[in-house]
Amino acid sequence: MLHFVPDRNLSDPLGAIPNRGDLLTALVPKLVMVLALLAAIGLIGGWFLAGRMLRPLHAIHSVAQKVAAGSLEDRVRLPGRRDEFGELARTFDAMLDRIQSSLNEQRRFAANASHELRTPYAVERAMLDVALADPAGVDVPKLLRRLDQTNHRGTEMVEALLALAALDQGRTPPLVPIDLAELTANVVLELTELADHAGITLITSFGEGDLDGAAPLIRQLVTNLVLNGVRHNTGPSGRVEVTTGTTTDGRSELQVVNTGPVVPPQLLTTLTEPFVRGAGRQAASGSPGADSAPLGSGLGLAIVARVAHVHGADLTLSALPEGGLHVRVTFTAPGGMTAR
């Protein structure tokens, strides 16, 4: 605009009207001050806004660095943000949750495998110990048959663990009709020598009961319950009662009752958690009066609970006043469920 103002006063002999030079002299210092102030405000405001906007990225970067170092426990958890950064943080946290869950499942599978694969060796050891104690009285063909059966059971156990891993990954195993009484009788027969060597009496009552399920998993459930009753018992003169039958509404039911130490009420609700035993959290191995029945790693009932869940079965644990445990598994009637 000052371009149109004359550089000198042409019509004002007194010089009262300012010319272009006067206006420039008056305005330039003020313009410089204003521009400097605006530049300072812009720089400070831009730095503040950039820091505020980039703070969520710094938080995400910090958590990412910890994850890269091997820690999956930290989360971003941006409070109250509903913008793009908040969505990014929530997505990042959800991804870490899924990764941690998957890693935990792999660890549980490895722990389950190490626990369950120990059982066939314990059974074989009991057979061989009996044979070594009385070599002259060994029925070699019978011993070989029993060892073959135990080896076959170990193979089935691997299949059960693989099926359980498939369930954890959302894959459904084929469901087949199962005679619960026959399956349970076979399991008890295989574990009778182990129970005898530990001084435990097995008392059975096999009533009719049918269900639809994954056979390796149901077999593993029954095996774990009977072994749990043998391991956590009072030693010689102890007993385990195994019963199958059908409820009034047509559902198959398995009950395993064992003598043993008194289970505190506060511990009862945690027995299906991994690494929990009747005496508490995992401790040194060994079981009084049951040398051939290793105490295990405390995963038996945890696997039972998982198998019962995927079959839609109800699992109930009750502590007996005189000591011991009563476990009841009630399955869905045939044709009434699909594995989940």
Side-chain angles (χ1 to χ4, degrees), residues 174-184 208-219 222 252 311 331 334:
L175 302 180
V176 298
I178 295 175
D179 185 334
L180 183 60
E182 180 181 359
L183 184 149
T184 304
E208 183 179 354
D210 298 318
L211 64 127
D212 293 333
L217 292 180
I218 298 298
R219 185 182 187 86
V222 177
S252 296
H311 284 84
F331 297 92

Side-chain angles (χ1 to χ4, degrees), residues 212-237:
D212 293 333
L217 292 180
I218 298 298
R219 185 182 187 86
Q220 196 59 43
L221 178 146
V222 177
T223 301
N224 281 9
L225 288 180
V226 177
L227 278 175
N228 186 75
V230 172
R231 286 170 173 161
H232 304 284
N233 217 300
T234 53
S237 77

Side-chain angles (χ1 to χ4, degrees), residues 8-9 18 21 37 40 82 92 99 132 168 186 193 216 243 277 291 311 325 328 337:
R8 61 184 182 275
N9 192 339
L37 180 61
R82 300 297 177 184
F92 189 70
I99 293 175
L132 291 173
D168 287 336
N186 290 335
E193 188 166 352
T243 306
R277 302 201 189 101
D291 296 334
H311 284 84
L325 196 65
R328 173 179 296 173
M337 66 84 58

